Amino acid sequence: MIGGGINSAIGNVHRAAAQLGGRYRVVAGALSSNPDRACMQAEQLNIPRAYSDGETLLHDEAAREDGADVIAILTPNNSHFALAKLALELGFHVVCEKPLVNDVREAHILQTIAEREKRRFCMGYGYTGYPMVRQARAMIENGELGEIRQLQCDYIQGHLAKLTEAEKSGNDWHMDPDVAGESLILNDISTHAFHMLEYVSGLSVSEVSADVTASVAGREAHDNANVLLRCDNGARGMMWVTQAAVGTENGLSFRIFGTLGGLEWHQESPNRLLYRRLDEASLVLTKGAPDLHEASTRVSRVPPGHTEGYREAFSSLYSDLYEDIVASRQGRNADPLTLWYPDIISGVRGVEFVTTALKSSRCNGEWVPMRSLQECERIR
């Protein structure tokens, strides 16, 4: 684990999620950019091998016969590229927090290296591990909604409804474009919403019209985005993503409608999926019910009526990655449902979306095709 120290919320989530299924042990850590603190925190967490920095960890673990197999990169955005590139080149599989990188060309380089080295790469889009998100995707793949026509995915938070003390003092790296990327809101949580929409619907966004702005007086970093979407099958979609909606908590949700029905899911009530049917009564599907798709039941760990939360959802990604790696080592094909974890391509798509939305917003919401980015020359 590189980054994700004791006081890091996402670090605690990854440590718990990885070890929840009994398939991983955290054997090495460089948990802070401060060398002394990095070693001290690894020792406090009883991680056997403590390192002062990520590069040293990667080289030393690669040289050990009992070295780490998977590297989790939980550092600020601008460090992802160098660490992930080195990890892949040294033969590690990688888990990386979003966004993949801040630059679309770097994203394509990492995809090329991962494919060349045949390394597995899992993005930290943890919400896709919820059982009822997997149920929604399975229903759409099975044709139960018919042809998808309309999509909406919102991610609404309120912790930046006013200027924070860290922001005022310049101590929040999320607000620094040199570290976090050009747009706080797009890199931080819109990548979650964008991935969720494509992940569940099975569609690819082809064009974007975006209005990205800072809505709080005195703030320079973007905290709000309104985005219109056109998909490859002609479906229309929209996203509202903000961290400045007063009083809201973690309102990630989607609504997807086809010719035969619609689905609605809210992360704050993750066990329930609303299924609207053409000319029939709507149904509320609940986690663990006996007639759900295998894609859902295989990632449900506790009996019906018991809540499975954020860490359990994240754990589903780690379990999928584990099964994929083991299948590869054994020279067999993994269970297709195992491959539902968000891979390197989903990370690249997120960076392409951020780049496209920013271009559109700079042009006053002009429609910008994503295919122009997909077709750009790969760096080999």
Side-chain angles (χ1 to χ4, degrees):
M1 184 168 288
I2 303 176
I6 287 176
N7 296 322
S8 163
I10 201 63
N12 291 326
V13 168
H14 276 269
R15 276 187 291 276
Q19 297 175 100
L20 183 61
R23 292 171 166 177
Y24 294 83
R25 289 182 297 115
V26 182
V27 297
L31 304 183
S32 171
S33 58
N34 179 294
D36 293 334
R37 189 162 59 241
C39 292
M40 179 186 67
Q41 291 192 2
E43 292 168 359
Q44 288 176 327
L45 291 168
N46 295 314
I47 296 174
R49 297 188 290 278
Y51 292 91
S52 60
D53 65 88
E55 185 173 338
T56 301
L57 180 153
L58 291 170
H59 282 293
D60 286 8
E61 289 297 310
R64 296 179 64 102
E65 289 188 5
D66 63 345
D69 302 300
V70 179
I71 301 296
I73 299 174
L74 314 177
T75 54
N77 305 353
N78 66 334
S79 62
H80 290 181
F81 175 70
L83 290 169
K85 181 174 182 290
L86 181 59
L88 292 169
E89 290 173 340
L90 289 173
F92 294 103
H93 305 285
V94 174
V95 176
C96 185
E97 260 303 316
K98 51 74 196 166
L100 174 61
V101 289
N102 291 336
D103 179 83
V104 71
R105 291 176 66 82
E106 291 181 347
H108 290 151
I109 291 171
L110 289 181
Q111 181 181 353
T112 298
I113 296 173
E115 292 170 351
R116 183 187 69 210
E117 301 296 328
K118 296 181 171 57
R119 298 295 91 185
R120 272 50 179 178
F121 200 110
C122 176
M123 287 298 302
Y125 295 130
Y127 301 107
T128 58
Y130 278 111
M132 299 315 287
V133 170
R134 300 284 178 101
Q135 172 70 16
R137 172 170 167 166
M139 291 175 68
I140 290 173
E141 281 197 3
N142 198 44
E144 293 170 50
L145 265 62
E147 182 183 359
I148 303 303
R149 292 173 169 174
Q150 299 157 320
L151 312 91
Q152 180 176 357
C153 190
D154 295 336
Y155 201 163
I156 306 165
Q157 297 178 336
H159 64 281
L160 296 181
K162 63 179 182 179
L163 296 180
T164 66
E165 292 304 316
E167 182 179 5
K168 293 176 185 176
S169 62
N171 293 326
D172 188 345
W173 66 262
H174 294 86
M175 301 291 181
D176 183 350
D178 291 334
V179 178
E182 185 176 347
S183 177
L184 164 67
I185 195 67
L186 291 180
N187 278 322
D188 196 16
I189 64 172
S190 84
T191 48
H192 272 300
F194 176 78
H195 175 64
M196 181 68 77
L197 206 62
E198 290 200 331
Y199 180 88
V200 175
S201 71
L203 302 180
S204 293
V205 172
S206 57
E207 292 182 273
V208 172
S209 171
D211 178 24
V212 187
T213 188
S215 63
V216 173
R219 174 172 293 151
E220 295 183 4
H222 297 150
D223 59 26
N224 189 87
N226 300 88
V227 187
L228 296 177
L229 308 167
R230 293 172 179 166
C231 296
D232 52 3
N233 74 333
R236 296 299 194 260
M238 65 178 69
M239 289 170 43
W240 174 36
V241 185
T242 186
Q243 293 173 318
V246 174
T248 57
E249 295 178 350
N250 198 60
L252 174 62
S253 64
F254 63 74
R255 298 177 180 88
I256 301 176
F257 295 90
T259 53
L260 300 178
L263 295 171
E264 181 173 341
W265 179 83
H266 296 263
Q267 193 274 155
E268 292 175 341
S269 302
N271 280 7
R272 295 175 178 270
L273 178 67
L274 177 59
Y275 176 29
R276 295 186 173 94
R277 302 179 294 172
L278 183 66
D279 298 328
E280 295 184 76
S282 296
L283 301 175
V284 176
L285 307 180
T286 57
K287 181 198 71 68
D291 56 349
L292 298 183
H293 285 276
E294 182 187 354
S296 176
T297 58
R298 69 183 294 275
V299 295
S300 182
R301 295 174 174 82
V302 297
H306 294 76
T307 300
E308 292 188 68
Y310 184 50
R311 291 183 177 184
E312 288 84 357
F314 244 109
S315 181
S316 297
L317 273 58
Y318 273 96
S319 294
D320 286 343
L321 177 65
Y322 170 89
E323 293 177 18
D324 189 20
I325 292 171
V326 169
S328 175
R329 286 180 174 179
Q330 295 176 348
R332 59 179 174 82
N333 293 327
D335 181 336
L337 294 177
T338 291
L339 305 180
W340 280 25
Y341 68 86
D343 60 9
I344 183 70
I345 295 174
S346 68
V348 172
R349 287 289 291 169
V351 180
E352 290 178 340
F353 168 72
V354 170
T355 304
T356 307
L358 281 171
K359 181 177 180 181
S360 172
S361 188
R362 286 193 292 266
C363 297
N364 200 31
E366 176 182 324
W367 284 99
V368 177
M370 284 190 65
R371 65 177 179 272
S372 63
L373 299 173
Q374 296 166 351
E375 292 167 358
C376 69
E377 182 179 0
R378 290 283 181 87
I379 306 298
R380 298 286 178 179

